[in-house]
Amino acid sequence: MQLIDLQTQYRRIKSEVDAGIHAVLEHGRYVNGPEIETLEARLAEYAGVSHCVALSSGTDALLVTLMALGIGRGDEVITTPFTFIATGEMIGLLGATPVFVDIDPATYNIDAARIEAAITERTKAIMPVSLFGQMADMPAINAIGEHHGIPVIEDAAQSFGATFAGQRSCGASLLAATSFFPAKPLGCYGDGGAAFTTDGALAERMRQLRNHGQTAPYQHSMLGINGRLDTMQAAVLLAKLDVFDDEVARREQVATRYSSALSEHVTTPALDERATSVYAQYTIQVDNREAVRSALDAAGIPSAVYYPVPLNRQPPLYSDVPIPESEAAAERVLSIPMHPYLDPADQDRVIEALIAAVKK
Ligand SMILES: Cc1ncc(COP(=O)(O)O)c(C=O)c1O
């Protein structure tokens, strides 16, 4: 059993993926090929937003959204410490300071009620993360941003396809960044990502930033990066988009089955009543995590810990502001196998092994 099974998915869409890759091999536009624009249009439509810029990774997508806002030295960006390093890393890499606000322990997402107290005159953006497939409370966060004139960037690396109060992830704020890392709900066959915005001028700026700040051939109006998505990855994503809704529905079925079998035994994921999740991870909380992991391992069930150390405890981003909920979650969370092709027999194996492991 695997935490995430990408081979079964490939077998399902093999002919479409292979045809898409071969088309790129034939036309030879490996960079900036026509598939990029097609993909951007489909992703923007899916997210319900006017602009999508395809990028080389989720990390670069975060970087480009921050750069487009001109964020740099001396600025502060409010975010959550309970996330993958890239969120705080891109803020810090630009010379700005991530200001960590604690999570809502039920959803693991930034607690919107604590954001206002962290705003200073140096706050230049709010970057909530939509963790494990469930969006942060974007309406509340957008309202705070609007009230203070601070732009909101959704780190939607794990949530493309999710909804909150009728809005789609990547389409619920001024800016958003997602990842197409292979293990993500919508993943490609290498690194990939995309940025989204409702603002045409920001979109244009992000297009220039991804191509060395170039405005016309060999004319550079600002410093940028090489952040382009490969055409081959766009072709893969176009094939995967065709089955994406069905895969999200299958993930929801697995999650529903897990939750009904496990909720008496462990803390199962809590979904806000306004939200749907794409379950990038199915994350529970247990006591004695290491013992539970060893027992699962012995039963042949893989598991993973996202994330054992919150960003405020990572040396390059260290902060001594107390963040108790994130630190408590980091001690207890455990992610178990979750993907659209996990069949009921394997789901039962996970459920039985986990119930036995927590009873030990
Ligand atoms: C919350 C979060 N932000 C950013 C990233 C970075 O995405 P990528 O790995 O595509 O650079 C990830 C991916 O792991 C992530 O989970």
Side-chain angles (χ1 to χ4, degrees), residues 56-62 83-87 129-131 155-158 177-181 184 191-193 307:
S56 44
S57 68
T59 303
D60 287 335
L62 287 172
T83 177
F84 180 60
I85 185 72
T87 318
V129 178
S130 295
L131 204 70
D155 179 343
Q158 303 185 10
T178 196
S179 165
F180 304 127
F181 184 77
K184 296 292 192 254
D191 278 306
Y307 295 92

Side-chain angles (χ1 to χ4, degrees), residues 61-303:
L62 287 172
L63 184 65
V64 161
T65 58
L66 291 161
M67 289 173 83
L69 292 174
I71 286 168
R73 205 154 293 286
D75 296 337
E76 293 177 356
V77 177
I78 292 175
T79 190
T80 159
F82 195 56
T83 177
F84 180 60
I85 185 72
T87 318
E89 183 185 30
M90 291 306 102
I91 298 166
L93 202 64
L94 289 172
T97 304
V99 173
F100 296 120
V101 166
D102 212 350
I103 55 169
D104 170 347
T107 62
Y108 307 111
N109 286 330
I110 193 167
D111 184 349
R114 298 178 199 242
I115 290 177
E116 214 138 28
I119 293 176
T120 72
E121 61 197 16
R122 294 208 290 236
T123 308
K124 291 290 157 30
I126 305 170
M127 184 178 275
V129 178
S130 295
L131 204 70
F132 301 149
Q134 174 172 204
M135 289 169 72
D137 184 348
M138 297 304 286
I141 298 167
N142 283 328
I144 296 165
E146 264 161 43
H147 184 67
H148 293 270
I150 301 171
V152 176
I153 308 170
E154 182 191 13
D155 179 343
Q158 303 185 10
S159 60
F160 189 79
T163 65
F164 195 103
Q167 284 186 306
R168 279 243 161 102
S169 181
C170 295
S173 49
L174 176 66
L175 287 153
T178 196
S179 165
F180 304 127
F181 184 77
K184 296 292 192 254
L186 179 64
C188 58
Y189 290 155
D191 278 306
F196 298 80
T197 182
T198 49
D199 181 299
L202 284 173
E204 189 48 33
R205 218 172 142 78
M206 294 197 290
R207 289 185 197 288
Q208 292 169 7
L209 285 165
R210 85 169 157 190
N211 196 23
H212 304 287
Q214 183 168 282
T215 43
Y218 305 105
Q219 307 291 321
H220 305 269
S221 64
M222 60 187 144
L223 299 182
I225 59 170
N226 174 356
R228 298 177 301 251
L229 181 73
D230 292 354
T231 312
M232 288 256 210
Q233 300 302 345
V236 170
L237 287 163
L238 284 169
K240 289 207 185 186
L241 262 176
D242 290 339
V243 294
F244 184 61
D245 281 337
D246 175 62
E247 292 188 340
V248 170
R250 288 167 179 244
R251 285 175 178 277
E252 283 175 324
Q253 281 164 13
V254 177
T256 304
R257 195 143 179 274
Y258 271 166
S259 291
S260 67
L262 293 172
S263 61
E264 278 172 34
H265 306 275
V266 297
T267 308
T268 49
L271 203 55
D272 187 291
E273 59 185 15
R274 296 160 291 174
T276 62
S277 175
V278 290
Y279 293 99
Q281 305 295 340
Y282 186 92
T283 301
I284 58 171
Q285 284 188 40
V286 291
D287 302 324
N288 301 326
R289 182 172 63 198
E290 283 323 302
V292 171
R293 282 199 83 183
S294 311
L296 288 177
D297 201 34
I301 310 293
S303 64

